[in-house]
Amino acid sequence: MSDFQIKAAPTTYDVIIIGSGAGGGMAAYELTKAGAKVCMLEAGQHFDPADPKYITQLKWPYQSPRRGASTKYRPFGDFDAAYGGWDIDGEPYTTKDNTKFRWFRSRMLGGRTNHWGRISLRFGPQDFKRKSIDGLGEDWPIGYEDVAPFYDEIDRLIGVFGSNENLPNDPDSIFLPAPKPRLHEMMLLKHNKRLGITTIPSRLSILTKQINEERGSCFYCSQCGRACVAYADFSSSSCLCKPAQKTSNLDIVYYAMAREVLTDPQTGLANGVSYVDTLSMEEKTVRGKVVVLAASACESARLLLNSKSARFPEGLANSSGVVGKYLHDSTGASRGAIVPTLFDRKRYNEDGVGGMHVYSPWWLDNKKLDFPRGYHIEYWGGMGMPAYGFGWGIEGINGMFPDRNGNKHEAGGYGASLKDDYRRFYGAYIGMAGRGEAVAREDNYCEIDPEKVDKFGIPVLRFHYKWSDYERLQAKHMHDTFEQIIQEMGGIALGKKPGADADYGLAEPGEIIHEVGTIRMGNDPKKSALNKWQQAHDVKNLFVVDAAPFVSQGDKNCTWTILALSMRASRHIVEERKAGNL
Amino acid sequence: MKRRNLLKGIGLGSLGMVGLSPQVKASEILNPLEGLEEKKKDPAFEQFGRTDYETARDAKLFAEQFFTKHEMKTISVLADIIIPRDSRSGSATDAGVPEFIEFMAKDKPELQTPLRGGIAWLDSQMKKRHEQDFISSTDVQRIAMVEDIAYPERKKSGMSQGIAFFSLMRNLTASGFWSSKIGIEDIGYQGNTPNQWDGPPEDVIKQYGL
Ligand SMILES: Cc1cc2nc3c(=O)[nH]c(=O)nc-3n(C[C@H](O)[C@H](O)[C@H](O)COP(=O)(O)OP(=O)(O)OC[C@H]3O[C@@H](n4cnc5c(N)ncnc54)[C@H](O)[C@@H]3O)c2cc1C
Ligand code: SF4
């Protein structure tokens, strides 16, 4: 590996970027194209989905001795393209006050974009102005019209399929053709129409048509989570970092764990980053004129809070005290079902793309409901590739249905009739998950743990996070909706509906992996850390381009907006440099 | 051990479904339902995008042996009772299920006690009934025992631990069988290959009136 080795860097870079995920990759792409000399620090290793040594795509479950089961190293299964997980050896995080926050991290080029779900939703006009609508939280210092041109550009640059539907808060875009629905998705379209639940083609950053020479088009293997050898799905590593490297303006330093942002005590400006070479454990420094944080929302907050100096005793860019606060993840709840009309289905290849082909954007008016913010529904089902866990729990299912001859069938069993049950039920399961907007609160936060450090000696994060009734009642509504849909389809919901004692099945904070808001932007430097260009109020050559600047996040998964905003902030850096302001 | 913990390790797509959001845990869906010796160094298991620490851990697991010969035999007999050969495909042992279970017990140590203890429970029951362990008993005796633990709703007294063990064996056997080459062919999964998706076949759309 041609790691860029530096101890005391001979050069001063124009820009140092920390992290190579969605935000960092986009910044590197934009800044190097504009001619800036950029150094990217990445804590993890190199990754290229087309390099045979990393490929897991199109492997069979029996090529894995655990048949694709998850391990600590691959929490989403043995073939998933994520190096990292919920727990990383030697890199702990802590919680307090019975918080159950979970933090998923990837340590690799491209960060979590190598295996993400590719659900690529623009925020709508209302998503930037929630306080004006319901009085809760805060409005963004920018509106949809500020971001729309950048959404348009990334639609063209990266590619996203979908359909124009003229919905008020789910903007039309520059879409590639959407794949046709699978059988269970056609059923959902039909039944949800009767129920008045808007259901439309999903919007995923997968190339159903080729858009340039560098990337191929999708061949429908349903395995985007394994990362695509054809680069037909978006990941920052292949679609942004790789082209940025081709400009020769980018040096990527792997195994470089940033410890803190360095500042000039006289000017108070950022002038470099100190990091630990995780292979040699050596402390190193790189110098730059502008520093861009993109280590992911919580990690960027950690970096600022750990960058303490006489001039910045509360951490860098934190005179407002908001750094770490307003942490919020999407809400989530899900339910599975079995649909007897799908028993003994005809077999054919219905892999499709790596994700659902239809989804339900938020379709109701919160003014008429007992919770303030909306959610969307994602669906799954069909004849997927069997792997570890296949058929698990059949003893809770096969007793519910008479056999093919109409005779009562006892739950459980063994032998030929059991073997046949698996065949009969294959492809008859469906499921759905709500993903909703939580209200950002000052008292949900991450902070520096006063005692613990990671193996590099860097103080770690401690989380404090509680759901409120806003989110609980939303989850309750999700479950009511799931049962309605399942019933309408003639399905049988599996398991019990979670009640108040189980927070209505609301996922633990962090579990939906859309953590945002920890270095929020705003016009008032007392209530925000960044201005509307994601530039620190206190340190004008410091920018944040991951999800930390988000004021709120709608019920839309956050990554498409990270990309659009990172592009916007990077263009601003280029303009300000030209104008001599940086 | 609670079922939920055993389900924890079930990963993405394990339910054989497409479009499943990776953050959805199989345990979340299933939990409420409450109620290779010679293949060890098989090169097919190598070289599929492993990180160094994974290669090292897998090599270590392959080098270890958890189950005794007796336990492996018991697992084999049970696996073939659960999924026997039929007109369409081979049996669980044909599909390498015992070797798979041996590997899983090392990979997920939380499986070890339920499996080892379950086998010991079974043998002690058989000794009480017939004065010999499970594998030394006759087919008829074995099946009579299995009948007592294969149907959770019969709730035969004194059998609940055996029922829990048999459910675990059933689930592991199914996992191993259906994810094998034989199982995948049998179930009729036709994907994992480049293709063009153009919606379900016409006759299927008609059949479901869509
Ligand atoms: C399973 C899964 C499914 C998802 N599905 C979707 C989806 O469908 N739609 C959607 O919008 N979002 C989805 N997400 C979320 C999405 O992946 C993230 O929002 C996105 O990747 C965030 O980008 P980022 O640039 O902020 O950080 P990341 O992608 O997390 O990248 C951060 C990078 O910084 C590096 N880094 C961290 N700390 C340091 C340090 N101190 N020094 C140097 N480098 C450092 C990390 O190694 C990493 O490479 C999903 C996430 C997961 C895990
Ligand atoms: S579904 Fe399409 S884009 Fe995704 S990995 Fe397969 S071929 Fe690539």
Side-chain angles (χ1 to χ4, degrees), chain A residues 227-272:
Chain A
C228 188
V229 293
Y231 302 143
D233 52 8
F234 169 74
S235 57
S236 170
S237 46
S238 47
C239 307
L240 297 173
C241 296
K242 211 176 160 155
Q245 268 183 309
K246 286 207 175 123
T247 64
S248 305
N249 288 330
L250 180 64
D251 290 326
I252 302 178
V253 191
Y254 294 106
Y255 306 105
M257 176 66 70
R259 174 196 296 279
E260 60 182 288
V261 179
L262 305 171
T263 45
D264 181 324
Q266 255 79 56
T267 62
L269 291 176
N271 63 6

Short mmCIF file of all heavy atoms in Angstrom, two decimals, chain A residues 227-272:
data_model
loop_
_atom_site.label_atom_id
_atom_site.label_comp_id
_atom_site.label_asym_id
_atom_site.label_seq_id
_atom_site.Cartn_x
_atom_site.Cartn_y
_atom_site.Cartn_z
N ALA A 227 -21.15 -4.25 -1.52
CA ALA A 227 -20.43 -3.31 -2.39
C ALA A 227 -20.26 -3.92 -3.78
O ALA A 227 -19.96 -5.11 -3.92
CB ALA A 227 -19.09 -2.88 -1.83
N CYS A 228 -20.43 -3.10 -4.80
CA CYS A 228 -20.60 -3.60 -6.16
C CYS A 228 -19.31 -3.56 -6.97
O CYS A 228 -18.68 -2.51 -7.10
CB CYS A 228 -21.66 -2.76 -6.86
SG CYS A 228 -22.14 -3.39 -8.46
N VAL A 229 -18.94 -4.71 -7.54
CA VAL A 229 -17.73 -4.76 -8.37
C VAL A 229 -17.85 -3.86 -9.60
O VAL A 229 -16.85 -3.43 -10.15
CB VAL A 229 -17.40 -6.20 -8.87
CG1 VAL A 229 -17.01 -7.09 -7.73
CG2 VAL A 229 -18.56 -6.80 -9.65
N ALA A 230 -19.08 -3.60 -10.03
CA ALA A 230 -19.29 -2.75 -11.22
C ALA A 230 -19.40 -1.27 -10.84
O ALA A 230 -19.62 -0.44 -11.71
CB ALA A 230 -20.56 -3.19 -11.95
N TYR A 231 -19.24 -0.97 -9.57
CA TYR A 231 -19.43 0.40 -9.07
C TYR A 231 -20.82 0.93 -9.44
O TYR A 231 -21.00 2.13 -9.69
CB TYR A 231 -18.38 1.38 -9.62
CG TYR A 231 -16.94 1.03 -9.35
CD1 TYR A 231 -15.97 1.29 -10.32
CD2 TYR A 231 -16.53 0.51 -8.14
CE1 TYR A 231 -14.62 1.01 -10.09
CE2 TYR A 231 -15.19 0.23 -7.89
CZ TYR A 231 -14.25 0.47 -8.87
OH TYR A 231 -12.92 0.20 -8.65
N ALA A 232 -21.80 0.04 -9.55
CA ALA A 232 -23.13 0.47 -9.98
C ALA A 232 -23.95 1.03 -8.82
O ALA A 232 -25.03 1.57 -9.02
CB ALA A 232 -23.87 -0.69 -10.63
N ASP A 233 -23.44 0.87 -7.61
CA ASP A 233 -24.11 1.52 -6.47
C ASP A 233 -23.16 2.59 -5.93
O ASP A 233 -21.95 2.49 -6.09
CB ASP A 233 -24.47 0.50 -5.38
CG ASP A 233 -23.30 -0.36 -4.96
OD1 ASP A 233 -22.15 -0.08 -5.38
OD2 ASP A 233 -23.52 -1.31 -4.19
N PHE A 234 -23.71 3.59 -5.28
CA PHE A 234 -22.84 4.66 -4.81
C PHE A 234 -22.08 4.24 -3.57
O PHE A 234 -22.66 3.77 -2.60
CB PHE A 234 -23.63 5.93 -4.47
CG PHE A 234 -22.77 6.93 -3.73
CD1 PHE A 234 -21.79 7.64 -4.40
CD2 PHE A 234 -22.90 7.11 -2.36
CE1 PHE A 234 -20.95 8.52 -3.72
CE2 PHE A 234 -22.06 7.99 -1.66
CZ PHE A 234 -21.09 8.70 -2.35
N SER A 235 -20.77 4.41 -3.62
CA SER A 235 -19.99 4.45 -2.39
C SER A 235 -18.94 5.53 -2.57
O SER A 235 -18.45 5.77 -3.68
CB SER A 235 -19.38 3.10 -2.04
OG SER A 235 -18.58 2.65 -3.09
N SER A 236 -18.63 6.18 -1.50
CA SER A 236 -17.70 7.30 -1.55
C SER A 236 -16.32 6.83 -2.03
O SER A 236 -15.63 7.55 -2.75
CB SER A 236 -17.60 7.92 -0.16
OG SER A 236 -16.55 8.84 -0.10
N SER A 237 -15.95 5.61 -1.65
CA SER A 237 -14.63 5.11 -2.03
C SER A 237 -14.47 5.06 -3.55
O SER A 237 -13.54 5.61 -4.11
CB SER A 237 -14.41 3.72 -1.43
OG SER A 237 -15.54 2.89 -1.61
N SER A 238 -15.44 4.42 -4.23
CA SER A 238 -15.28 4.23 -5.66
C SER A 238 -15.75 5.43 -6.49
O SER A 238 -15.23 5.67 -7.56
CB SER A 238 -15.99 2.95 -6.11
OG SER A 238 -17.27 2.87 -5.57
N CYS A 239 -16.75 6.16 -6.02
CA CYS A 239 -17.33 7.22 -6.85
C CYS A 239 -16.75 8.59 -6.56
O CYS A 239 -16.91 9.51 -7.37
CB CYS A 239 -18.84 7.27 -6.68
SG CYS A 239 -19.62 5.69 -6.95
N LEU A 240 -16.14 8.80 -5.41
CA LEU A 240 -15.63 10.13 -5.08
C LEU A 240 -14.12 10.11 -4.80
O LEU A 240 -13.36 10.86 -5.39
CB LEU A 240 -16.39 10.71 -3.87
CG LEU A 240 -17.89 10.92 -4.09
CD1 LEU A 240 -18.57 11.32 -2.78
CD2 LEU A 240 -18.15 11.98 -5.16
N CYS A 241 -13.68 9.23 -3.88
CA CYS A 241 -12.26 9.23 -3.52
C CYS A 241 -11.39 8.82 -4.70
O CYS A 241 -10.33 9.40 -4.94
CB CYS A 241 -12.02 8.31 -2.33
SG CYS A 241 -12.87 8.86 -0.84
N LYS A 242 -11.84 7.82 -5.43
CA LYS A 242 -11.04 7.32 -6.55
C LYS A 242 -10.85 8.40 -7.64
O LYS A 242 -9.72 8.67 -8.02
CB LYS A 242 -11.71 6.06 -7.12
CG LYS A 242 -10.74 5.09 -7.69
CD LYS A 242 -11.43 3.82 -8.15
CE LYS A 242 -10.47 3.15 -9.13
NZ LYS A 242 -10.67 1.74 -9.23
N PRO A 243 -11.93 9.02 -8.12
CA PRO A 243 -11.73 10.11 -9.08
C PRO A 243 -10.92 11.27 -8.51
O PRO A 243 -10.14 11.90 -9.23
CB PRO A 243 -13.14 10.57 -9.46
CG PRO A 243 -14.09 9.65 -8.81
CD PRO A 243 -13.35 8.69 -7.96
N ALA A 244 -11.08 11.53 -7.22
CA ALA A 244 -10.31 12.63 -6.61
C ALA A 244 -8.82 12.30 -6.67
O ALA A 244 -7.98 13.16 -6.94
CB ALA A 244 -10.75 12.86 -5.17
N GLN A 245 -8.49 11.03 -6.45
CA GLN A 245 -7.08 10.62 -6.50
C GLN A 245 -6.50 10.79 -7.90
O GLN A 245 -5.33 11.09 -8.06
CB GLN A 245 -6.94 9.16 -6.07
CG GLN A 245 -6.68 9.03 -4.58
CD GLN A 245 -6.47 7.60 -4.16
OE1 GLN A 245 -7.29 6.74 -4.48
NE2 GLN A 245 -5.40 7.34 -3.45
N LYS A 246 -7.35 10.61 -8.90
CA LYS A 246 -6.88 10.73 -10.29
C LYS A 246 -6.41 12.14 -10.62
O LYS A 246 -5.66 12.33 -11.57
CB LYS A 246 -8.00 10.30 -11.26
CG LYS A 246 -8.21 8.81 -11.27
CD LYS A 246 -8.77 8.33 -12.60
CE LYS A 246 -8.86 6.81 -12.62
NZ LYS A 246 -10.23 6.33 -12.88
N THR A 247 -6.84 13.13 -9.86
CA THR A 247 -6.40 14.51 -10.12
C THR A 247 -4.96 14.73 -9.69
O THR A 247 -4.37 15.76 -9.99
CB THR A 247 -7.24 15.53 -9.34
OG1 THR A 247 -7.03 15.32 -7.94
CG2 THR A 247 -8.73 15.43 -9.65
N SER A 248 -4.40 13.76 -8.95
CA SER A 248 -3.05 13.89 -8.34
C SER A 248 -2.98 14.97 -7.28
O SER A 248 -1.90 15.33 -6.82
CB SER A 248 -1.96 14.17 -9.40
OG SER A 248 -1.99 13.18 -10.38
N ASN A 249 -4.11 15.51 -6.91
CA ASN A 249 -4.11 16.53 -5.85
C ASN A 249 -4.45 15.95 -4.48
O ASN A 249 -4.57 16.69 -3.52
CB ASN A 249 -5.13 17.63 -6.19
CG ASN A 249 -4.66 18.50 -7.33
OD1 ASN A 249 -3.45 18.67 -7.51
ND2 ASN A 249 -5.59 19.03 -8.10
N LEU A 250 -4.64 14.65 -4.41
CA LEU A 250 -5.08 14.05 -3.14
C LEU A 250 -4.06 13.06 -2.60
O LEU A 250 -3.65 12.14 -3.31
CB LEU A 250 -6.43 13.33 -3.36
CG LEU A 250 -7.03 12.64 -2.13
CD1 LEU A 250 -7.38 13.66 -1.05
CD2 LEU A 250 -8.26 11.83 -2.52
N ASP A 251 -3.65 13.26 -1.38
CA ASP A 251 -2.88 12.26 -0.66
C ASP A 251 -3.78 11.66 0.41
O ASP A 251 -4.31 12.40 1.24
CB ASP A 251 -1.66 12.89 0.03
CG ASP A 251 -0.62 13.34 -0.98
OD1 ASP A 251 -0.47 12.67 -2.02
OD2 ASP A 251 0.05 14.37 -0.73
N ILE A 252 -3.95 10.35 0.37
CA ILE A 252 -4.75 9.70 1.41
C ILE A 252 -3.79 9.02 2.39
O ILE A 252 -2.92 8.25 1.97
CB ILE A 252 -5.71 8.64 0.83
CG1 ILE A 252 -6.64 9.28 -0.21
CG2 ILE A 252 -6.53 7.99 1.94
CD1 ILE A 252 -7.60 8.31 -0.89
N VAL A 253 -3.94 9.34 3.64
CA VAL A 253 -3.13 8.68 4.67
C VAL A 253 -4.05 7.68 5.38
O VAL A 253 -4.99 8.08 6.06
CB VAL A 253 -2.55 9.67 5.70
CG1 VAL A 253 -1.50 8.97 6.57
CG2 VAL A 253 -1.95 10.87 5.01
N TYR A 254 -3.79 6.39 5.18
CA TYR A 254 -4.59 5.36 5.86
C TYR A 254 -4.07 5.13 7.28
O TYR A 254 -2.98 5.56 7.62
CB TYR A 254 -4.55 4.05 5.06
CG TYR A 254 -5.23 4.17 3.72
CD1 TYR A 254 -4.49 4.23 2.55
CD2 TYR A 254 -6.62 4.24 3.63
CE1 TYR A 254 -5.11 4.34 1.30
CE2 TYR A 254 -7.24 4.35 2.40
CZ TYR A 254 -6.49 4.40 1.25
OH TYR A 254 -7.11 4.52 0.03
N TYR A 255 -4.86 4.44 8.07
CA TYR A 255 -4.50 4.11 9.45
C TYR A 255 -4.11 5.38 10.23
O TYR A 255 -3.22 5.35 11.07
CB TYR A 255 -3.34 3.09 9.49
CG TYR A 255 -3.62 1.85 8.68
CD1 TYR A 255 -3.01 1.63 7.44
CD2 TYR A 255 -4.52 0.90 9.14
CE1 TYR A 255 -3.28 0.50 6.69
CE2 TYR A 255 -4.81 -0.24 8.40
CZ TYR A 255 -4.18 -0.44 7.17
OH TYR A 255 -4.46 -1.56 6.44
N ALA A 256 -4.78 6.49 9.89
CA ALA A 256 -4.45 7.77 10.53
C ALA A 256 -5.64 8.21 11.38
O ALA A 256 -6.64 8.71 10.88
CB ALA A 256 -4.14 8.81 9.47
N MET A 257 -5.53 7.98 12.67
CA MET A 257 -6.60 8.32 13.60
C MET A 257 -6.38 9.73 14.15
O MET A 257 -5.46 9.95 14.96
CB MET A 257 -6.62 7.30 14.75
CG MET A 257 -7.62 7.57 15.86
SD MET A 257 -9.32 7.44 15.32
CE MET A 257 -9.43 5.67 15.06
N ALA A 258 -7.20 10.68 13.68
CA ALA A 258 -7.02 12.06 14.12
C ALA A 258 -7.30 12.16 15.62
O ALA A 258 -8.25 11.58 16.14
CB ALA A 258 -7.94 12.98 13.35
N ARG A 259 -6.43 12.89 16.29
CA ARG A 259 -6.60 13.08 17.73
C ARG A 259 -7.21 14.45 18.01
O ARG A 259 -8.18 14.58 18.75
CB ARG A 259 -5.25 12.98 18.43
CG ARG A 259 -5.27 13.31 19.91
CD ARG A 259 -3.86 13.57 20.46
NE ARG A 259 -3.03 12.38 20.38
CZ ARG A 259 -3.06 11.39 21.28
NH1 ARG A 259 -3.88 11.44 22.30
NH2 ARG A 259 -2.27 10.35 21.14
N GLU A 260 -6.61 15.50 17.41
CA GLU A 260 -7.17 16.82 17.62
C GLU A 260 -6.78 17.77 16.50
O GLU A 260 -5.84 17.53 15.75
CB GLU A 260 -6.74 17.41 18.97
CG GLU A 260 -5.25 17.58 19.16
CD GLU A 260 -4.94 18.13 20.55
OE1 GLU A 260 -5.20 19.31 20.80
OE2 GLU A 260 -4.42 17.35 21.38
N VAL A 261 -7.56 18.84 16.40
CA VAL A 261 -7.27 19.89 15.43
C VAL A 261 -6.36 20.89 16.12
O VAL A 261 -6.63 21.32 17.25
CB VAL A 261 -8.58 20.57 14.97
CG1 VAL A 261 -8.29 21.70 13.98
CG2 VAL A 261 -9.52 19.54 14.36
N LEU A 262 -5.26 21.22 15.47
CA LEU A 262 -4.29 22.14 16.06
C LEU A 262 -4.61 23.57 15.64
O LEU A 262 -5.07 23.81 14.53
CB LEU A 262 -2.87 21.76 15.61
CG LEU A 262 -2.49 20.30 15.89
CD1 LEU A 262 -1.16 19.96 15.20
CD2 LEU A 262 -2.40 20.05 17.39
N THR A 263 -4.36 24.50 16.56
CA THR A 263 -4.63 25.90 16.22
C THR A 263 -3.43 26.77 16.53
O THR A 263 -2.60 26.44 17.40
CB THR A 263 -5.84 26.44 17.03
OG1 THR A 263 -5.71 26.03 18.39
CG2 THR A 263 -7.15 25.94 16.48
N ASP A 264 -3.36 27.86 15.84
CA ASP A 264 -2.33 28.86 16.10
C ASP A 264 -2.78 29.68 17.29
O ASP A 264 -3.84 30.31 17.25
CB ASP A 264 -2.19 29.74 14.84
CG ASP A 264 -1.12 30.80 15.00
OD1 ASP A 264 -0.98 31.34 16.12
OD2 ASP A 264 -0.44 31.10 14.00
N PRO A 265 -1.99 29.68 18.38
CA PRO A 265 -2.44 30.37 19.60
C PRO A 265 -2.64 31.88 19.36
O PRO A 265 -3.44 32.51 20.04
CB PRO A 265 -1.35 30.11 20.62
CG PRO A 265 -0.25 29.39 19.93
CD PRO A 265 -0.69 29.01 18.56
N GLN A 266 -1.90 32.45 18.40
CA GLN A 266 -2.05 33.88 18.13
C GLN A 266 -3.35 34.19 17.39
O GLN A 266 -4.16 34.98 17.85
CB GLN A 266 -0.86 34.40 17.28
CG GLN A 266 0.15 35.21 18.07
CD GLN A 266 1.07 34.30 18.86
OE1 GLN A 266 1.71 33.41 18.29
NE2 GLN A 266 1.13 34.50 20.17
N THR A 267 -3.50 33.54 16.24
CA THR A 267 -4.66 33.88 15.39
C THR A 267 -5.92 33.12 15.77
O THR A 267 -7.02 33.51 15.41
CB THR A 267 -4.35 33.53 13.92
OG1 THR A 267 -4.12 32.12 13.85
CG2 THR A 267 -3.12 34.26 13.42
N GLY A 268 -5.75 32.00 16.47
CA GLY A 268 -6.90 31.16 16.78
C GLY A 268 -7.39 30.38 15.57
O GLY A 268 -8.44 29.76 15.61
N LEU A 269 -6.62 30.39 14.49
CA LEU A 269 -7.01 29.64 13.30
C LEU A 269 -6.48 28.21 13.35
O LEU A 269 -5.44 27.95 13.95
CB LEU A 269 -6.48 30.33 12.04
CG LEU A 269 -7.12 31.68 11.68
CD1 LEU A 269 -6.43 32.28 10.47
CD2 LEU A 269 -8.62 31.51 11.41
N ALA A 270 -7.19 27.31 12.71
CA ALA A 270 -6.72 25.93 12.61
C ALA A 270 -5.50 25.91 11.71
O ALA A 270 -5.48 26.57 10.66
CB ALA A 270 -7.81 25.04 12.05
N ASN A 271 -4.47 25.15 12.09
CA ASN A 271 -3.29 25.08 11.22
C ASN A 271 -2.78 23.66 11.02
O ASN A 271 -1.73 23.46 10.45
CB ASN A 271 -2.18 26.00 11.73
CG ASN A 271 -1.67 25.58 13.11
OD1 ASN A 271 -2.07 24.54 13.63
ND2 ASN A 271 -0.79 26.38 13.70
N GLY A 272 -3.50 22.70 11.50
CA GLY A 272 -3.07 21.33 11.28
C GLY A 272 -3.89 20.35 12.09
O GLY A 272 -4.84 20.73 12.79
#
